[in-house]
Amino acid sequence: MATTRKTTNNQTTNKTDYLSYPQFNVEVIVSQEAKKSPHLIKFLLASKEEGKTLLETYPWFSAKASETVTAARTWYIGMGKSEDLDSLRLGEVLLKALRQAATNFEEIGVELPNAVFSQFGAKSVANLISTAIAGAVYPLDLMKTKPSQNEVKLKKVNIQVSRTYQDKFSTALEAYKKEVQPVLGMRQLQVLPGNIAYAETVERRARDIAKEFGLKITVMGQAELEKLGAGGILAVNQGSAREPRMIVLEYSPAGAKKTLGLIGKGVTFDTGGISIKPSSGMHEMKSDMSGSAAVLHAIAGIAAQKTKVRVIAAVGMVENMPDGKAQKPGDVYPSLKGHTVEVQNTDAEGRLVLADLLTYVEREHSPDLIVDIATLTGASVVALGHHYAGLFALNDESARYLEKASQNSHEPLWRLPVDRVYREMLKSEIADYNNIGERWGGASSAAAFLSAFLDHPEKWAHVDIAGIGILSKDLGVYPSQGSGFGVRLFCELARVLEA
Ligand code: BES
Ligand code: ZN
Ligand code: ZN
């Protein structure tokens, strides 16, 4: 890889290399001949009978989850018992095995038990296997001089599918293959550090996507945001040496009946600002732009699949830094909606950015459903761990759209409350709102804050991915670090709205 390295400033490396959109170069096909592939990865469920031998040649093999026998031409991979096999376990087994296979073989066959197709449905298996292959071939140590990417050999995957499921599986696989590159693109941006992925460089990715799919793109910088009156975005970015950006992509296919607004938090680094975070673990806040990466890449996936829904993807790219010019605790700013906000904690910055974006997209595009996604609160991680994204909605129908999309995509959501009591926590003595609520219930008071910046909060849902967006170890089909959560969810959401 040709990189330019200078040590005289903080922009030390050739950013374009690290930021070039990852290409997915694995051919994935359904084949009746899969069993004849040079190497076969054969997945097996554990027997219901205790102690029954599954493989005569390897009598000790009991097919516990991810238990592996690497015979010469065939790898046998256990999936555990069928009653324990949920989509999280299935994803985990697939990812582990495929990751190992990816560095060993150029071409593999994959054989799954028919019972897995009947349990999950052909569509879900296609979803999970395509995502697992993508995760397996795209390690995230992009900036090493010898990235482990170089060790990935896998070029072709032949999947064995019985006749019963073949048509459904093939159709689904073709669709899901279009989500693979966006998922990788999102994961790449999530892990790239703040000195490489920042407002202006993320803009480049947005422009690439706009160009590839013929989307309309609007980009606003400091001057335009001042003219617009996006007080929240500007307040957060005030301490940064870099310019902020608001980026809006529009996909308007012929025949679309509904409009979906997707809003993403793009804090390219969150120090906490003057309410500065403790230093241990602070580096993880390079991924505080995960929401923005999700919506920019989701619109790419939706456009690639030609789903008949109009989609507006809007992101606010900022950096939350302490500085002589930074906002201070207690400062009051006017939001785009016109509400005045007292910033009692500068670390509760994501909501200031999202609030302006919600107001803007509602005002300009009147979406039928408007969904924001953000690494918004540590409190949501306390509530849900890394296993679920928090879902918040005032209206049950809006929540149901997301829950349906979650079921179809296997991206897990769990609904948490966002009613009047949380909004009432946001009182300020001197302004319309305080940007923080009480000590407890922080995920819900953050959500309640957002709801105050919409004329139609009933059309809104909020997804908090502070936990599931940023991982310290693999989780199901998600590889550790940048999980890519959100792209598949929103691609399904668009399909739910299309119907
Ligand atoms: N970006 C953080 C939330 C976060 C925490 C994301 C952990 C990923 C992992 C957010 O801006 C933040 O700092 N929120 C504060 C809000 C508080 C000051 C009300 C938090 O959660 O502590
Ligand atoms: Zn913060
Ligand atoms: Zn943040």
Side-chain angles (χ1 to χ4, degrees), residues 37 73 239 328:
S37 305
R73 211 191 64 84
K328 302 168 291 298

Side-chain angles (χ1 to χ4, degrees), residues 265 270-272 277 285 288 320 346-350 376:
K265 168 178 173 180
D270 182 12
T271 63
K277 289 179 181 295
M285 288 301 115
D288 209 20
N320 190 20
T346 66
D347 197 11
E349 84 298 341
L376 201 63

